[in-house]
Amino acid sequence: MRRGVARLVGLRVVRAEVPPLNLQPIKYQPEPAELCRRLVGRHLQRVSRIGKRLLLHWEAGEVLVIEPRMTGRIIIDPPEGLSHVRLVLDMKSPTEREEAPQQSLVFRDVRGLGSVRLLSEELCRREFGPHKIGPDALDISWEELRDRLSRRRCAIKVGLLDQSVLAGVGNIYASEALHRARIHPALPCERLSRVQWERLAKCLREVLEEAIRFQGSTLSDGAYATPENDQGGYQDKHCVYQRDGQRCPHCRRGIIRRIILAQRSTYFCPVCQPLRSGR
DNA sequence: CATATGTCCTGAGAGC
DNA sequence: TGCTCTCAGGACATAT
């Protein structure tokens, strides 16, 4: 998502709109009218990310923080008549010429659990500091992963989803990484062995990097696609996620099971991922 | 403090 | 066809 939006760096907002909808509004900060007013005329300088939040940096230290949650996504130049559009930014090259090409950045969110906030860089640092958001899952070392989780009693899969422990792992990739690391998702954090921590950190990174390379996972509901509206390709690589009842593609013996941990569907292979501590 | 649960929303699909 | 039920890439408030 970040890479898709980064293609718009250098453009200027010529129009901003929060379209009227017959739906519960998402969380806007400030209110839509002022939000749009403050965005018009701004130049997009940089696009970054903190965990799962997308940050659009404008001049004067303003940052638009987009939090997609479950169904939020960015679409560049969407088809006419798209539903559930929560924010539209029409963007143009910062030239004098009227006929400069225009591109439209749209935030769409069907369930409306996401949010759009315009904050100062200062406030941003305070809101999403290290106390609230852990180190990014793509960077974390196995020692740090262990240090931050190994005294917890919760299931390892639940620990991986805690954004204050490490940032960026969601429900799909928690199951996938644990399968690759051959660790049962319900194993308590405090019972993982050194070898398991090492394997988990490595597998987490591998799974995430591969998923990013394949542009993410478009599930059966088709809710996710890239900002260019391309479907992801990683769903075909999933070994366990939403594959309960199927044979494990790794060992070719186990039948993938679905259990609930912390109210979230969790998938694993009982053969590859036996429930026992590592030692 | 860590952990468990309920809640915010809309829509798709299954089962009857 | 229409109803009810379950489920959904997440995070937070609240309670214990």
Side-chain angles (χ1 to χ4, degrees), chain A residues 4-211:
Chain A
V5 176
R7 299 182 353 109
L8 303 181
V9 164
L11 302 191
R12 177 174 63 99
V13 179
V14 293
R15 192 183 71 95
E17 186 197 11
V18 172
L21 294 174
N22 288 324
L23 297 166
Q24 284 297 112
I26 62 169
K27 176 179 170 187
Y28 294 98
Q29 183 186 342
E31 291 307 303
E34 193 194 338
L35 177 74
C36 292
R37 192 173 53 67
R38 272 169 58 185
L39 281 169
V40 172
R42 292 280 186 223
H43 291 85
L44 183 58
Q45 298 193 320
R46 186 165 69 91
V47 185
S48 69
R49 162 182 87 71
I50 299 178
K52 302 173 185 174
R53 293 170 176 87
L54 185 66
L55 276 62
L56 283 69
H57 301 260
W58 315 90
E59 65 267 48
E62 296 245 90
V63 185
L64 186 69
V65 182
I66 297 180
E67 193 180 341
R69 299 233 184 152
M70 304 279 264
T71 51
R73 53 168 296 210
I74 300 287
I75 314 172
I76 295 171
D77 293 330
E80 202 67 27
L82 182 72
S83 65
H84 303 87
V85 171
R86 310 293 187 158
L87 177 68
V88 182
L89 299 182
D90 289 338
M91 321 240 334
K92 236 182 210 179
S93 277
T95 58
E96 307 294 313
R97 306 178 53 80
E98 263 312 304
E99 63 272 26
Q102 180 176 301
Q103 285 187 298
S104 178
L105 183 157
V106 161
F107 178 59
R108 176 181 200 234
D109 187 357
V110 171
R111 286 174 70 184
L113 301 176
S115 66
V116 174
R117 305 164 67 188
L118 188 57
L119 307 174
S120 68
E121 246 155 29
E122 174 61 36
L123 193 53
C124 224
R125 269 193 297 276
R126 226 172 312 149
E127 285 254 3
F128 311 120
H131 46 95
K132 209 170 150 200
I133 309 288
D136 196 88
L138 286 173
D139 305 326
I140 197 167
S141 67
W142 77 265
E143 292 96 334
E144 189 164 15
L145 183 67
R146 176 202 57 196
D147 291 348
R148 299 179 71 92
L149 276 175
S150 61
R151 278 173 309 282
R152 301 206 177 198
R153 267 166 301 182
C154 67
I156 181 60
K157 195 259 193 173
V158 177
L160 291 178
L161 292 180
D162 186 333
Q163 303 298 300
S164 66
V165 169
L166 91 163
V169 179
N171 203 38
I172 294 179
Y173 303 117
S175 280
E176 290 298 322
L178 285 166
H179 175 261
R180 184 178 292 221
R182 309 193 306 279
I183 298 168
H184 194 291
L187 184 65
C189 294
E190 57 185 3
R191 288 178 45 201
L192 267 73
S193 66
R194 172 198 164 112
V195 174
Q196 285 178 316
W197 287 118
E198 287 176 346
R199 235 175 26 228
L200 181 53
K202 172 168 166 281
C203 293
L204 252 184
R205 190 165 331 181
E206 287 174 0
V207 163
L208 291 173
E209 281 175 355
E210 207 175 316

